[in-house]
Amino acid sequence: MSIEAPPGRVDQVVSRAVEAHRGSRGALLPILHAVQEELGHVPPSVVPVLADRLNLSTAEVHGVVTFYRDFRTTPPGRVTVRVCRAEACQAVGGEALLEHAVTSLGISRGQTTPDGAVTLDEVFCLGNCALGPAVQVGERLHGRVTPARLDALIGQNR
C-alpha cells in the first residue's frame, strides 16, 4: 500500500514550490507540478494551503487539480503502466490491450492495485505510433505489446 508523506514534509514541499514560482505568471501549474514531482501526487490537504498562499479560491485550485489528468490526488503505485489510446495504437489493438489490463489487474483506469504495486493509466499518445500498441511501464517505453507481453512486463516490475 502506498504511504502518504508526513504533514511536515508536505508543508516543506509546498513552501519550496510556492517560493520558487510565486512571482511567475500562472504560478499554480508549475507549483502543482513541483509538488507532485516531489511527493508523487497532490494531496487534497494542499489545495486550501495553495489557495491561501496564491490568493485564489479553493474551488479554483481544486478545479485545476481535477481538470488536468496528469495530476494525481492519491499516491501512485510502485510502478505506473500507461497504455496508449491514440488512433494508431487503437487500430492495432490498443483498446483491447487496455481492457485486458483493467481485467487482469482488477482495477479501473487511473486506479492503483490494492497492494500498491501498480497504477494503471491511459494516455493519448506515447509517440511510438509505428510500433503500436505502445505501453510505458515505469520509465520504459515498449512497442507491439500483446496481452501476454503486458502481463510479463507488469510481472517483472511488480
Side-chain angles (χ1 to χ4, degrees):
M1 188 60 83
S2 297
I3 299 172
E4 292 278 342
R9 178 158 185 259
V10 172
D11 292 341
Q12 291 172 349
V13 168
V14 169
S15 292
R16 277 196 308 271
V18 168
E19 288 311 310
H21 300 285
R22 181 185 295 279
S24 304
R25 188 172 170 169
L28 181 58
L29 282 174
I31 290 170
L32 290 170
H33 281 291
V35 168
Q36 182 158 293
E37 177 71 26
E38 202 158 332
L39 299 176
H41 70 295
V42 179
S45 62
V46 166
V47 171
V49 173
L50 288 178
D52 181 60
R53 292 192 185 176
L54 298 174
N55 197 29
L56 298 169
S57 72
T58 303
E60 287 175 295
V61 177
H62 175 77
V64 170
V65 171
T66 57
F67 177 79
Y68 292 103
R69 294 181 57 117
D70 284 345
F71 294 124
R72 300 187 49 78
T73 57
T74 58
R78 291 183 294 280
V79 67
T80 298
V81 174
R82 300 169 70 200
V83 180
C84 183
R85 299 256 342 269
E87 290 80 6
C89 284
Q90 282 188 37
V92 291
E95 185 65 30
L97 187 63
L98 180 59
E99 291 308 316
H100 171 79
V102 165
T103 301
S104 67
L105 291 170
I107 57 174
S108 296
R109 302 161 189 170
Q111 292 185 332
T112 301
T113 56
D115 64 358
V118 179
T119 296
L120 178 63
D121 282 330
E122 59 185 342
V123 295
F124 291 91
C125 191
L126 287 169
N128 201 24
C129 304
L131 298 175
V135 173
Q136 184 177 353
V137 179
E139 297 299 317
R140 189 141 184 228
L141 183 61
H142 302 272
R144 296 193 177 114
V145 178
T146 63
R149 184 162 176 230
L150 180 61
D151 291 344
L153 290 169
I154 291 171
Q156 291 168 3
N157 287 279
R158 253 191 142 159

